[in-house]
Amino acid sequence: MPSELGTEAREAASRSDSPVQAPTQEQNVCKPVEEPRCPPTLQEIKQKIDSYNTREKNCLGMKLSEDGTYTGFIKVHLKLRRPVTVPAGIRPQSIYDAIKEVNLAATTDKRTSFYLPLDAIKQLHISSTTTVSEVIQGLLKKFMVVDNPQKFALFKRIHKDGQVLFQKLSVADCPLYLRLLAGPDTDVLSFVLKENETGEVEWDAFSIPELQNFLTILEKEEQDKIQQVQKKYDKFRQKLEEP
C-alpha cells in the first residue's frame, strides 16, 4: 500500500482530526468541559426537566419517574469517514424484528462494507442511566453494523469563542443528563458519532472488505491524479504548438 495516501484515502483510513487553529473551524478538545460535581437532588432534576420541557418545541420532552430516573430523546449525527461492516444480503430491520429483538446480523456469516450517509441524524429514546457505551452499541445495532464498538466514539459538539469544538465522551458518561443540563437547543450541544481516533492507523483492526475499499479509493485517486496531470500537459503542449 502506498506510503502517502491521497486526501480521500486519508479521510477514510488514517484521518486523525488534529486541532485546527483557525477560528470558526471544528476542533477536537481533550480537556473535559466542567460539569457539576455533586449529583443533583430529585427536586433539582424535576425543576430542570420542567424547564427543559417548556423550551422543547417538538413534543420530545423528558419524563421523570418516581425513582428519580427519567427518559427522553437525543439526536446523534453520524460523521463516519470510513466504511462500516454489515451482513451481506440482509433485508432492513422491520418493526417486528425490533420488537422481538431479532438479531439479523447473526443469521449470516457473509460480510460486506459500505459508507453510511455522512452527517445523517439518528434519534434515540434513552434513559438517564443509558451510558455512552450503550448508545454506541444501540446505534450500531440499528444499522446492523458488526464492527467492534471500540472503533467508534461519541463526541459532544459545542460552540465556544466562534469555534466548533468536539469533546470525546467517556464510555460511562450519560448523554441524556448532558442533554438536560444543556437544554433542548442543539446549537448549544449536540452529539456526534465518529471514529475512535488513536493517531496511528491500525490496519490489523480492519476487515478484508474495509481494506479492499481503501485500495479502491487509492486506485481512484491515482487515476484522477493521472488524468489531471495529462490534461495539464496536453494544454501546455497546445500552447507550445500554437503558431
Side-chain angles (χ1 to χ4, degrees), residues 179-204:
R179 178 80 277 161
L180 177 63
L181 291 181
D185 189 352
T186 54
D187 288 336
V188 176
L189 167 72
S190 58
F191 297 104
V192 180
L193 183 70
K194 302 172 69 176
E195 281 84 8
N196 192 6
E197 298 137 359
T198 58
E200 297 293 331
V201 178
E202 299 180 1
W203 297 107
D204 292 341

Side-chain angles (χ1 to χ4, degrees), residues 2 6 26 32 57 73 91 101 136 139 150 152 171 227 235:
E26 295 181 348
K57 306 302 182 182
F73 296 87
R91 60 178 170 79
E101 297 186 349
I136 293 175
L139 284 169
Q150 293 181 352
F152 308 92
V171 293
Q227 291 178 6
K235 186 175 181 179

Side-chain angles (χ1 to χ4, degrees), residues 110-122:
K110 296 181 180 180
R111 297 289 184 264
T112 187
S113 61
F114 74 103
Y115 288 92
L116 287 173
L118 186 62
D119 228 9
I121 301 176
K122 189 66 178 178

Side-chain angles (χ1 to χ4, degrees), residues 36-198:
R37 295 184 178 181
C38 297
T41 65
L42 181 60
Q43 182 61 29
E44 290 173 336
I45 292 177
K46 185 179 184 305
Q47 291 175 351
K48 288 181 179 296
I49 290 178
D50 290 341
S51 175
Y52 183 98
N53 290 342
T54 58
R55 290 176 287 161
E56 171 54 51
K57 306 302 182 182
N58 299 314
C59 299
L60 298 176
M62 298 191 186
K63 184 177 181 181
L64 181 64
S65 301
E66 293 182 357
D67 61 0
T69 62
Y70 48 95
T71 57
F73 296 87
I74 64 169
K75 293 180 180 179
V76 180
H77 297 251
L78 306 182
K79 290 181 70 72
L80 300 178
R81 300 288 182 176
R82 302 169 188 160
V84 295
T85 306
V86 297
I90 297 295
R91 60 178 170 79
Q93 189 180 45
S94 66
I95 296 178
Y96 174 84
D97 295 331
I99 294 175
K100 297 296 183 180
E101 297 186 349
V102 176
N103 185 5
L104 295 176
T107 63
T108 179
D109 293 329
K110 296 181 180 180
R111 297 289 184 264
T112 187
S113 61
F114 74 103
Y115 288 92
L116 287 173
L118 186 62
D119 228 9
I121 301 176
K122 189 66 178 178
Q123 184 169 277
L124 300 174
H125 184 251
I126 62 174
S127 165
S128 57
T129 60
T130 303
T131 64
V132 164
S133 177
E134 292 169 331
V135 167
I136 293 175
Q137 293 179 39
L139 284 169
L140 298 183
K141 183 178 179 181
K142 285 181 179 296
F143 287 99
M144 294 191 291
V145 175
V146 296
D147 290 304
N148 189 330
Q150 293 181 352
K151 285 186 179 182
F152 308 92
L154 192 66
F155 288 73
K156 58 187 296 187
R157 180 169 59 190
I158 59 177
H159 295 76
K160 184 177 181 181
D161 299 329
Q163 294 179 328
V164 180
L165 305 179
F166 288 91
Q167 177 199 334
K168 181 180 176 181
L169 298 176
S170 164
V171 293
D173 285 336
C174 297
L176 192 62
Y177 177 63
L178 301 178
R179 178 80 277 161
L180 177 63
L181 291 181
D185 189 352
T186 54
D187 288 336
V188 176
L189 167 72
S190 58
F191 297 104
V192 180
L193 183 70
K194 302 172 69 176
E195 281 84 8
N196 192 6
E197 298 137 359
T198 58

